[in-house]
Amino acid sequence: MSAGFLDQLEQRHAEGNPIRVGIIGAGKFGGGLMAQLSQMKGMEASAVADLDTGRARQMHAACGTSEEALATVNSAAQASDAIRAGKRVISQDALAVIGCDLVDVVVDATGVPEAGARNGVAAIEHGKHLVMVNVETDVTVGSILRRKADRAGVVYTLVDGDQPGCTVQMVDWAKTLGFEIVAAGRGTEYFADDRSGTPDSVKERFQFDDETMSRRSINLKMYNSFRDGTKAQLEMTALANMTGLPPDVRGMHEPSANLADIPRLFSVKEEGGLLSRPGVVELANSVADDGQTMLPDPLRMGVFVVIRTDHPFTREDLTSYHCHVGGEGGNFLLYRPYHLVAVEAPMSIAAAVLQGTATGAPLERPVADVVAVAKRDLKQGETLDAGGGYTVNGVIEKAEIATAENLLPLGLSAGAKLKRGVLAGEAIPYDAVTLNEESFVLQLRREQDRMAAP
């Protein structure tokens, strides 16, 4: 943590005026954030909303909060009264947290586009800074939420610790120093049979026992979105829309790569790489080409940037500092071998509240989208179940191509009913589905599309 944040948080702690954080969703991320906040000074999880209030209580108990210190409320007014009385608030109603006048910042960790869109707009309308952990919502309507936040004078930000937030900071750092960005992205562990994975097989794939499932509130569908590749596609779309770096091809290349391979593979074709152009988002798979064996020296779940410099002195320096080299000697790998998810998230909260700055936020016009692709052959009349489920994967595509081909965004696919059959691997167009016209995220997406049109 920067010295500036530390001093300010120490002062707020001394004055009894902590940053009061409202968390929507007490699952793995929300619970992890509560745990981290419980170890800090000057910032606290003052209000938590979850449909399962027992889960929120369980998370508080794990953080050392006594039952007597908790108050279950049904309205924003009750939440304010409880916090003034020194209580930590729990509610089933997100609006009770969002509307509470003592909450400084709202963190959406629901992972559901419909919920994230509603919570996001409500938070902005209530004058709250919004930390969007929910990349499913961000890649669907993040640009319009950022516009609304700017107009309201509050911060809309993605979160430090999650891979898009970690990577965008590396990109900003490299651009500030004058480097060209050749590629930026994250590592994956993507096995040959993962694409067709379902929630039923997640426990075996990740070796979860029942105790871990209960203790950490494991969402099998969310974990399956990691397994089937959807989550990585979502995260790189969020990164693309923050940085302006599009995918080179639909779904990205995602080659098997040890660390030393990354700057070589993520160079342009003329220099022996895979890319048709520099300046893209990418994935580096830690699994070998056989689809089964882990590579000996991969990135795993870390993040990276491949930078380029043409200056001989800088090339000499980066080489002498043992940076892996590619691109005929001009491209260099910078990487972090880890991302700490909820552990680092308070950094984004502090930046939003204390500095009025975002870790990263989408541009006004998206450069990429996540489109729904059939996971298996689908029949007319089937209902889609969005990312991590049984029917579709999410795949990144350039925004202009997704628009030209009228492709259905993954974030609008939940509950959509097929008008015709779709073959496995086919990107599903809008005209192949009937959408729920009552959906809030659908209305917000249409508003975003109108504003982003040329």
Side-chain angles (χ1 to χ4, degrees), residues 255-303:
S256 298
N258 284 302
L259 288 170
D261 299 324
I262 293 175
R264 175 180 59 81
L265 293 170
F266 297 142
S267 296
V268 295
K269 292 177 181 177
E270 293 78 5
E271 295 176 340
L274 297 173
L275 306 180
S276 64
R277 51 158 290 178
V280 298
V281 292
E282 262 300 344
L283 299 171
N285 189 12
S286 300
V287 179
D289 288 331
D290 64 9
Q292 300 177 358
T293 310
M294 289 295 296
L295 292 168
D297 188 30
L299 183 59
R300 291 188 178 267
M301 295 291 104
V303 297

Side-chain angles (χ1 to χ4, degrees), residues 155-220:
V155 174
Y156 175 91
T157 182
L158 275 78
V159 66
D160 199 355
D162 211 2
Q163 283 148 320
C166 294
T167 313
V168 74
Q169 293 179 88
M170 295 178 70
V171 170
D172 289 346
W173 177 90
K175 285 183 174 179
T176 300
L177 292 173
F179 292 110
E180 177 187 359
I181 305 300
V182 181
R186 53 160 286 186
T188 59
E189 295 181 6
Y190 193 48
F191 293 88
D193 60 347
D194 281 347
R195 177 68 71 185
S196 59
T198 66
D200 300 331
S201 57
V202 166
K203 287 179 69 175
E204 180 180 356
R205 169 69 173 79
F206 291 99
Q207 297 183 330
F208 291 142
D209 56 37
D210 291 339
E211 190 275 332
T212 300
M213 292 276 296
S214 173
R215 178 170 50 85
R216 296 307 303 270
S217 300
I218 299 298
N219 180 328
L220 294 179

Side-chain angles (χ1 to χ4, degrees), residues 93-111:
D93 186 358
L95 290 178
V97 171
I98 293 168
C100 174
D101 58 5
L102 295 182
V103 167
D104 299 302
V105 55
V106 171
V107 179
D108 186 282
T110 62

